[in-house]
């Protein structure tokens, strides 16, 4: 049997509760980050209590990434903004709709920044992971976004009050945990594949540094990237034969990871959707190189179109794996950004010839061929993993709204799910 709610029909044995009714009894169960100048840049230390910013909540289940840190003493001053394992954290300003969990790891606590808010739930009513998956679903995103202010910087109106008033469909705790088990098994496999890919890329980077930096020889001739590549080789013309495209914007590619390909009708696509790519092309954003919007086109779809904000690099007479790790090394990114900051445009930006003018010591052909073969095998595995990740993410994203609305029920035996 079903009951009609704002989420549509849900099982009759589920309840709809407000966040205020499922929060912990802790007086700081719902709190916002420190206001104003309570956290300054000179408060940051090399290690200590991590500070959660929006970048630490990008699309992952748990807060992660590059943290800044506070001393224990400073974190104690901001005790109301402290988070602990199983807490949920949200953004109320900037990119609205981001949500993540505090993990059980080496950190016993975190501090949320001023753009964030945290929620400690009563675990006897709602499982934190279940609530995380709810807020990642369309139903949960609607609960957040309906409070978004319509003027100025994206933000939630009266964030603490709004959070308390958000509604959640609540199954029995045992069923919540069964739902979490299904979704977590998919996320865990996705995470494992991502970590495998990071390991493989790290191995390729390490091999690059060892062979071409540490073991570089004095007799290697100094050359320029432009001697071996074609920049921005191909763009859409009247002869282009795809009416539906997959569009990659610069913001959707970071350190080789694509978080979104937009399916578009070509006639309705933005004017920047012009650049065409081929297998083993390299993409580097020409705006703000320090933001690391770069990646590798490994067996792209035939209708992939990328933004003209990218410089596309087609390697003609040199292995693209060498050029990719040459141009995306941390010190090279800093060098390219220093050039971009000297530009006369509104934002720090590069010209394609700036990339073409990068010089390097040319290794022997045999060494480059060996690197191509070894790293090529790694990228084949990375590509296989990426395809599996995409399939698993598609399955998870298909199941998520169905599980959160009760359209698909999970068979479970209450005694089999530890309370």
């Amino acid at each position: 049997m079903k009951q009609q709610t704002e989420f549509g029909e849900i099982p009759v044995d589920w309840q709809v509760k407000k966040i205020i009714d499922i929060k912990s009894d802790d007086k700081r169960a719902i709190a916002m980050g420190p206001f104003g100048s309570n956290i300054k840049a000179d408060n940051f230390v090399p290690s200590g209590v991590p500070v959660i910013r929006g970048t630490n909540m990008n699309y992952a289940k748990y807060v992660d990434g590059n943290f800044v840190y506070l001393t224990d003493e400073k974190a104690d001053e901001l005790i109301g903004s402290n988070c602990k394992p199983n807490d949920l954290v949200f953004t109320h300003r900037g990119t609205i709709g981001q949500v993540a969990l505090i993990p059980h790891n080496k950190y016993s606590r975190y501090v949320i920044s001023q753009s964030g808010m945290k929620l400690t739930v009563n675990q006897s009513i709602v499982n934190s992971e279940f609530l995380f998956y709810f807020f990642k679903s369309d139903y949960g995103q609607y609960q957040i976004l309906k409070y978004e202010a319509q003027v100025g910087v994206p933000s939630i109106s009266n964030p603490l009050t709004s959070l308390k008033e958000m509604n959640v469909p609540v199954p029995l705790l045992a069923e919540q945990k069964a739902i979490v088990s299904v979704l977590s098994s998919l996320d865990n496999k996705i995470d494992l594949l991502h970590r495998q890919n990071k390991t493989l890329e790290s191995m390729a980077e390490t091999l690059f540094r060892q062979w071409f930096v540490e073991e570089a020889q004095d007799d290697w001739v100094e050359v320029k990237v432009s001697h071996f590549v074609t920049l921005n080789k191909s763009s859409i013309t009247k002869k282009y034969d795809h009416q539906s495209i997959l569009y990659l914007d610069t913001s959707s590619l970071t350190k080789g990871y694509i978080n979104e390909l937009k399916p578009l009708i070509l006639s309705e696509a933005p004017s920047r959707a012009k650049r065409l790519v081929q297998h083993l092309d390299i993409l580097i954003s020409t705006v703000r190189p320090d933001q690391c919007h770069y990646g590798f086109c490994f067996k792209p779809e035939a209708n992939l179109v990328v933004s003209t904000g990218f410089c596309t690099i087609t390697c003609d007479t040199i292995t693209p794996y060498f050029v990719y790790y040459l141009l995306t090394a941390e010190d090279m990114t800093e060098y390219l950004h220093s050039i971009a900051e000297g530009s006369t445009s509104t934002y720090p930006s590069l010209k394609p010839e700036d990339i073409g003018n990068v010089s390097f010591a040319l290794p022997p052909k045999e060494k480059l061929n060996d690197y191509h073969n070894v790293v090529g095998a790694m990228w084949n595995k990375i590509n296989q993993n990426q395809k599996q990740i995409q399939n698993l993410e598609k399955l998870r994203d298909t199941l998520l709204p169905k599980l959160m609305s009760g359209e698909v029920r999970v068979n479970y035996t209450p005694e089999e799910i530890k309370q």
Side-chain angles (χ1 to χ4, degrees):
M1 294 181 64
K2 300 284 187 178
Q3 57 177 312
Q4 190 66 38
T5 70
E6 65 180 289
F7 307 107
E9 291 187 338
I10 65 172
V12 71
D13 56 331
W14 288 21
Q15 296 180 308
V16 176
K17 293 181 178 290
K18 292 185 181 297
I19 293 293
I20 190 68
D21 298 321
I22 61 175
K23 74 176 184 66
S24 164
D25 292 334
D26 185 339
K27 64 180 181 180
R28 299 191 184 97
I30 299 178
M32 292 175 62
F35 287 99
S37 59
N38 286 335
I39 298 181
K40 299 178 181 178
D42 56 9
N43 293 137
F44 299 147
V45 292
S47 62
V49 181
V51 178
I52 301 169
R53 300 173 294 177
T55 53
N56 302 119
M57 300 168 59
N58 284 341
Y59 312 104
K61 183 175 180 179
Y62 296 100
V63 294
D64 198 2
N66 296 319
F67 294 103
V68 294
Y69 300 90
L70 301 175
T71 62
D72 282 308
E73 292 76 16
K74 186 63 179 178
D76 287 341
E77 291 178 21
L78 305 170
I79 194 68
S81 302
N82 281 209
C83 311
K84 58 188 179 182
N86 287 330
D87 283 355
L88 279 86
V89 289
F90 306 80
T91 48
H92 65 79
R93 185 176 178 83
T95 306
I96 306 301
Q98 292 188 117
V99 58
L101 280 165
I102 302 297
H104 292 267
N105 59 13
K106 62 181 179 179
Y107 302 114
S108 60
R109 61 173 173 163
Y110 294 73
V111 173
I112 47 173
S113 69
Q114 63 182 22
S115 63
M117 52 186 175
K118 69 96 179 262
L119 167 67
T120 304
V121 299
N122 185 335
Q123 297 288 327
S124 67
I125 302 175
V126 174
N127 177 275
S128 289
E129 287 187 79
F130 174 83
L131 197 57
F132 163 79
Y133 283 117
F134 167 73
F135 278 114
K136 292 298 285 186
S137 72
D138 289 344
Y139 304 109
Q141 288 291 295
Y142 168 74
Q143 287 294 306
I144 296 172
L145 295 175
K146 72 180 181 181
Y147 294 102
E148 183 178 358
Q150 299 302 310
V151 295
V153 176
S155 59
I156 294 177
S157 302
N158 303 312
L160 292 185
T161 301
S162 300
L163 180 58
K164 292 175 184 177
E165 290 299 309
M166 293 177 191
N167 291 321
V168 182
V170 181
L172 292 175
L173 193 58
E175 186 171 1
Q176 292 177 41
K177 293 180 178 180
I179 291 170
V180 166
S181 179
V182 171
L183 295 170
S184 289
S185 65
L186 294 171
D187 271 338
N188 290 342
K189 179 62 175 177
I190 291 168
D191 181 63
L192 175 63
L193 293 169
H194 275 306
R195 283 188 282 115
Q196 285 182 359
N197 281 358
K198 286 182 179 179
T199 299
L200 289 166
E201 287 204 58
S202 179
M203 290 169 62
E205 291 171 9
T206 300
L207 196 61
F208 177 90
R209 288 195 302 271
Q210 180 182 338
W211 285 12
F212 306 121
V213 179
E214 297 169 10
E215 299 177 4
Q217 301 297 307
D218 292 339
D219 60 351
W220 292 1
V221 178
E222 193 82 5
V223 293
K224 291 184 178 181
V225 167
S226 59
H227 297 166
F228 305 90
V229 308
T230 301
L231 302 175
N232 296 335
K233 182 176 183 178
S234 182
S235 297
I236 287 178
T237 66
K238 292 181 179 180
K239 296 181 179 179
Y240 187 68
D241 56 3
H242 294 282
Q243 297 307 311
S244 298
I245 64 170
L246 291 174
Y247 175 56
L248 178 64
D249 197 3
T250 52
S251 61
S252 298
L253 176 66
T254 304
K255 291 187 175 181
Y257 177 71
I258 296 172
N259 62 52
E260 183 181 26
L261 286 177
K262 297 178 182 177
L264 298 172
I265 302 299
L266 181 59
S267 59
E268 300 173 358
S271 60
R272 293 172 70 86
K274 288 283 192 295
R275 201 82 74 206
L276 300 179
V277 293
Q278 62 190 46
H279 180 50
L280 299 185
D281 275 1
I282 300 160
L283 302 178
I284 296 181
S285 173
T286 56
V287 176
R288 301 188 189 280
D290 63 326
Q291 294 186 354
C292 300
H293 295 309
Y294 58 71
F296 210 36
C297 294
F298 201 90
K299 298 180 180 178
E301 297 292 335
N303 63 336
L304 178 64
V305 177
V306 306
S307 170
T308 53
F310 287 115
C311 176
T312 66
I313 303 162
T314 303
C315 295
D316 302 315
T317 56
I318 193 170
T319 170
Y321 302 116
F322 173 86
V323 176
Y324 178 74
Y325 288 106
L326 170 72
L327 293 177
T328 60
E330 186 174 342
D331 56 348
M332 183 61 70
T333 297
E334 293 174 359
Y335 169 71
L336 291 175
H337 187 66
S338 69
I339 295 175
E341 285 187 314
S343 67
T344 57
S345 58
T346 306
Y347 302 103
S349 60
L350 297 168
K351 298 185 291 294
E353 52 264 36
D354 293 329
I355 296 173
N357 285 332
V358 168
S359 61
F360 64 95
L362 180 64
K365 186 175 181 179
E366 296 76 13
K367 203 172 187 73
L368 288 171
N369 287 341
D370 289 343
Y371 187 74
H372 182 89
N373 292 333
V374 172
V375 176
M378 293 178 183
W379 270 91
N380 272 316
K381 178 60 176 172
I382 289 171
N383 186 56
Q384 291 171 14
N385 285 350
Q386 192 59 44
K387 288 182 177 178
Q388 192 172 356
I389 287 169
Q390 291 169 352
N391 290 334
L392 290 169
E393 287 178 338
K394 185 176 181 180
L395 175 59
R396 179 200 60 198
D397 294 344
T398 300
L399 280 174
L400 183 58
K402 298 179 184 296
L403 289 169
M404 288 299 131
S405 66
E407 180 183 346
V408 172
R409 304 292 293 270
V410 180
N411 291 327
Y412 67 96
T413 305
E415 57 266 24
E416 291 179 353
I417 308 290
K418 292 184 179 180
Q419 296 291 328

